[in-house]
Amino acid sequence: MKWRYILLCMVGVTAGLTFSAIAQERANSTASSSAEAPAPTQGMPAAPPSAMAKSAADGAENGAQRLEGEKRFRTNCGRCHQTPHKFPPRVMATAIRHMRVRAMITDEDMRLILRYMTQ
Amino acid sequence: MPDVQAATANLIPRLRICHGRGGSLPHRSTPPFLLCGSAVLLAVLLSILFAFPAGAQAPPNEEVKPVPLLTGSTGFITTFDGGEPHLHPIVTPLVLVPIGGRWIFETRATFETDMVQLPGRSAFHGTVAKEFEYVQLDFIANPYITVTVGRFLTPFGIFNERLYPVWIRNLQSDPLILPIGIGPSNASTGVMLRGGFRADPKFNINYAVYFSVLSTASPVNSDRFAGGRLGIFVPAARLEIGGSFQHGLQDERSNAFGFHALWQPPILPLDIRSEYARSIVGRGYWVEAAYRLSQVPFLQNELRRAQVVARMQQFFAGENASDALLPMNTKQFEFGLNYYFIDGLKASSSYGRQFSTDGNKNVWTMSLTYRFVVPLGHARSE
């Protein structure tokens, strides 16, 4: 009987936490989708269209790599331990090489995580 | 007193008791230095072999020059095991020395003691146990293969190699099946090939194959065996499953195998981990779930640092006895609460109930653990 009660309590707590988590996720996604886009800066000199396009492309690529790096960081590092804060770049370079051996993360993951963690 | 030792090995989870194997040496055992020499020779040959194909590729694109590190963890663990208090301070320094673009030397030691109250004496007493857990040199030959030589943590299952440090583990007690397949002192001496690579856009494969020689030099003893582990990781589902196999090359020449799984549902801060292991010394499993309370909609500043954990495990004693395992069938349930003050500093508490034919008992644990990182050089400048 004790085990039944323990199991029932665990199931109840888990169900409650799951529902609250889903509700929280929905609230967050609604808030982020309804957020306004940043207004264009006024009073700044206009850059040439080609330079603007290049810098926009670079920015988009950096942003995409950063997002991918963060995603890989959370996916790989979080498998075993709480994701750590950022360390100085040279420390991260050693740690990521160690984790490449220990956690057997892939070469691509290592590069993206290192880039994200050292930016 | 083998029963007492076996029981203590699990009830005092952190303290590893390394027993010399001199009494049970096989007649055909080769002197350790010869086997070590063979292993080193094999490793050098493998390194040369794999270095040539790697030469055509660019070295790992580490734009930042790595710096040697002193890292590791320290902790103070208090256990009430069946009413008997144990005080257990532990320090586990880890030194990482990157060499060039492809090598890394790593070594981890443990200094720990299990202090108990002795009959007729006041205060707590214990002796400090010192152990080199691993001393290994890794060569990243190419994106698919890393060659490791020296003394390394046996890659059987996931707990020993990836979840063992006190700052990582969710519950401070060891799983009952931990000693299965990892050797007499949790490590192997020899050579290992390992790696992880993207096999398909949807999943990665990681693997480790190793050969360990017999070493009787306590506390760095190891058994003679060969084995491997294979895992498949699906990043989108954050799911990893895998299996381990090991074949003994001494004594009974027995086999051991196991399975493991890790899952982190993408929409929940939940970790689910599980292992199963089987050998002639016993079999069993553990299943652990840890939920970080970061999505609870109230007291978010406090609760996002808290984590509730539960673990169920069962062990069935095998036909051959092992000093490191419990001598009887045992079932144990534990649950606990972890609180992360800052990155690396964690307080834990747990309660467990152990059921066995030897009697049932409660196991309470409280601990404070800290993970430190000290660069041995200029950390910011290149």
Side-chain angles (χ1 to χ4, degrees):
Chain A
M1 289 299 283
K2 275 183 186 174
W3 285 101
R4 271 189 201 167
Y5 284 125
I6 290 171
L7 280 173
L8 275 175
C9 288
M10 284 181 64
V11 169
V13 169
T14 308
L17 291 172
T18 306
F19 282 125
S20 70
I22 291 169
Q24 185 78 7
E25 276 295 305
R26 282 186 180 167
N28 286 344
S29 62
T30 309
S32 61
S33 64
S34 64
E36 289 182 5
T41 311
Q42 294 181 358
M44 297 290 287
S50 61
M52 279 179 67
K54 187 174 182 303
S55 86
D58 287 348
E61 189 183 338
N62 278 340
Q65 284 201 342
R66 183 186 160 78
L67 276 177
E68 190 60 28
E70 183 176 5
K71 188 176 145 191
R72 304 275 179 111
F73 168 69
R74 299 203 178 282
T75 304
N76 284 281
C77 307
R79 254 191 294 169
C80 296
H81 54 76
Q82 303 296 318
T83 48
H85 295 166
K86 286 187 176 181
F87 291 110
R90 296 187 66 191
V91 173
M92 274 316 305
T94 307
I96 200 71
R97 193 185 291 188
H98 168 60
M99 293 320 296
R100 173 164 183 197
V101 176
R102 174 68 55 219
M104 298 189 285
I105 59 177
T106 66
D107 192 60
E108 185 189 8
D109 288 346
M110 183 191 78
R111 291 164 201 264
L112 285 165
I113 293 170
L114 183 59
R115 182 176 289 237
Y116 162 69
M117 292 296 279
T118 52
Q119 274 181 345
Chain B
M1 299 280 286
D3 290 354
V4 173
Q5 282 185 338
T8 311
N10 276 292
L11 301 176
I12 309 165
R14 313 280 338 128
L15 191 61
R16 295 172 184 155
I17 302 167
C18 302
H19 304 279
R21 293 287 177 97
S24 61
L25 287 179
H27 295 297
R28 57 180 173 278
S29 66
T30 313
F33 66 91
L34 284 181
L35 290 169
C36 284
S38 306
V40 170
L41 184 63
L42 178 64
V44 169
L45 287 173
L46 286 169
S47 303
I48 293 168
L49 177 70
F50 289 118
F52 279 111
Q57 304 171 23
N61 182 23
E62 296 176 12
E63 295 161 1
V64 185
K65 191 180 173 190
V67 64
L69 284 185
L70 169 65
T71 178
S73 56
T74 180
F76 191 87
I77 302 160
T78 306
T79 306
F80 291 88
D81 186 354
E84 183 187 14
H86 294 256
L87 303 180
H88 184 209
I90 178 171
V91 181
T92 308
L94 164 65
V95 175
L96 302 172
V97 182
I99 306 162
R102 295 181 183 279
W103 298 80
I104 184 166
F105 171 79
E106 44 186 323
T107 180
R108 189 171 84 189
T110 293
F111 305 91
E112 59 185 329
T113 182
D114 177 43
M115 297 193 290
V116 294
Q117 286 178 306
L118 298 175
R121 297 180 66 184
S122 62
F124 287 80
H125 299 272
T127 55
V128 178
K130 301 173 279 289
E131 182 188 3
F132 272 104
E133 294 185 331
Y134 62 85
V135 185
Q136 66 185 66
L137 183 64
D138 309 310
F139 173 59
I140 303 170
N142 60 44
Y144 304 98
I145 298 170
T146 298
V147 183
T148 295
V149 293
R151 178 176 165 79
F152 51 86
L153 296 175
T154 310
F156 188 92
I158 48 170
F159 196 92
N160 183 45
E161 205 186 32
R162 282 158 56 175
L163 307 175
Y164 195 88
V166 291
W167 72 274
I168 292 179
R169 53 173 65 203
N170 288 326
L171 289 167
Q172 290 301 337
S173 61
D174 286 344
L176 298 173
I177 60 168
L178 174 64
I180 295 177
I182 59 172
S185 56
N186 298 12
S188 304
T189 308
V191 61
M192 170 169 60
L193 301 180
R194 59 191 294 140
F197 56 91
R198 175 155 288 195
D200 182 270
K202 290 182 180 169
F203 65 87
N204 300 344
I205 287 180
N206 59 68
Y207 72 92
V209 290
Y210 57 92
F211 170 73
S212 173
V213 298
L214 176 69
S215 167
T216 55
S218 182
V220 290
N221 45 350
S222 60
D223 281 349
R224 188 166 188 260
F225 49 62
R229 185 183 64 198
L230 181 70
I232 295 174
F233 176 52
V234 186
R238 300 178 80 168
L239 169 71
E240 180 178 343
I241 53 173
S244 308
F245 176 77
Q246 187 180 90
H247 177 63
L249 296 168
Q250 63 180 62
D251 298 336
E252 303 89 358
R253 290 181 169 260
S254 60
N255 295 327
F257 67 91
F259 301 101
H260 65 266
L262 298 99
W263 185 43
Q264 294 181 302
I267 62 163
L268 288 173
L270 176 67
D271 295 341
I272 298 174
R273 297 165 176 165
S274 177
E275 268 192 307
Y276 171 83
R278 183 185 189 109
S279 75
I280 56 167
V281 294
R283 62 190 165 87
Y285 68 88
W286 60 268
V287 184
E288 181 184 286
Y291 183 82
R292 190 78 175 250
L293 302 178
S294 57
Q295 292 182 333
V296 177
F298 51 89
L299 293 175
Q300 285 194 329
N301 197 34
E302 290 77 23
L303 290 180
R304 69 186 171 87
R305 300 168 185 271
Q307 182 184 45
V308 288
V309 193
R311 180 162 71 192
M312 175 68 198
Q313 55 182 331
Q314 209 163 356
F315 172 72
F316 304 94
E319 54 194 63
N320 287 25
S322 166
D323 290 345
L325 287 161
L326 291 171
M328 74 297 265
N329 295 351
T330 306
K331 187 193 294 183
Q332 187 166 322
F333 176 77
E334 289 169 275
F335 65 89
L337 179 71
N338 297 330
Y339 192 84
Y340 296 84
F341 292 101
I342 54 171
D343 182 32
L345 179 63
K346 176 176 75 172
S348 309
S349 62
S350 69
Y351 164 76
R353 180 78 175 159
Q354 191 177 91
F355 305 89
S356 74
T357 50
D358 202 32
N360 305 336
K361 64 179 178 179
N362 298 325
V363 181
W364 294 87
T365 303
M366 288 178 291
S367 70
L368 192 64
T369 57
Y370 179 62
R371 191 266 337 270
F372 55 87
V373 180
V374 181
L376 303 174
H378 296 291
R380 293 182 188 278
S381 62
E382 293 187 24

